[in-house]
Each structure stands twice: as C-alpha cells, then as structure tokens.
C-alpha cells in the first residue's frame, strides 16, 4: 500500500519533531507526539521513565 503525499509529509514531520525535541531536551513537549498513556523508557540512560 503506497502512502499518499499528505500522509508521507505528516509522518516525516512527526519524525523530525521527535528528533528536534529530543536533541533540544524539550521532553516536556513529548505529549505533542504521543498519547497521554505513553511510557517513554529511558532507564538505560540512567533517567526515570517519562
């Protein structure tokens, strides 16, 4: 199943935003990417789950 250009753009924007938020340390904005019940496990990096 091929993606239409609108879907492809939306996916690309989502992935790009994830990278920008992580790189800039704006973890408080992860709710813009995930559902409210997400558990973002970063315990391997010595951090608490978000």
């Amino acid at each position: 199943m091929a993606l239409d250009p609108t879907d492809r753009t939306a996916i690309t924007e989502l992935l790009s935003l994830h990278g920008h938020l992580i790189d800039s340390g704006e973890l408080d904005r992860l709710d813009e990417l995930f559902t409210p019940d997400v558990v973002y496990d970063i315990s391997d990096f010595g951090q608490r789950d978000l």
Side-chain angles (χ1 to χ4, degrees):
M1 176 163 109
L3 295 174
D4 69 40
T6 302
D7 290 338
R8 186 175 301 275
T9 299
I11 292 167
T12 300
E13 292 293 322
L14 183 73
L15 292 170
S16 295
L17 181 57
H18 180 270
H20 289 295
L21 294 179
I22 297 301
D23 288 349
S24 64
E26 296 182 71
L27 303 180
D28 59 317
R29 291 183 56 200
L30 289 176
D31 62 336
E32 296 176 34
L33 303 173
F34 299 107
T35 60
D37 60 345
V38 69
V39 175
Y40 204 79
D41 182 358
I42 53 177
S43 59
D44 284 349
F45 301 103
Q47 304 294 318
R48 62 176 178 78
D49 292 349
L50 300 174

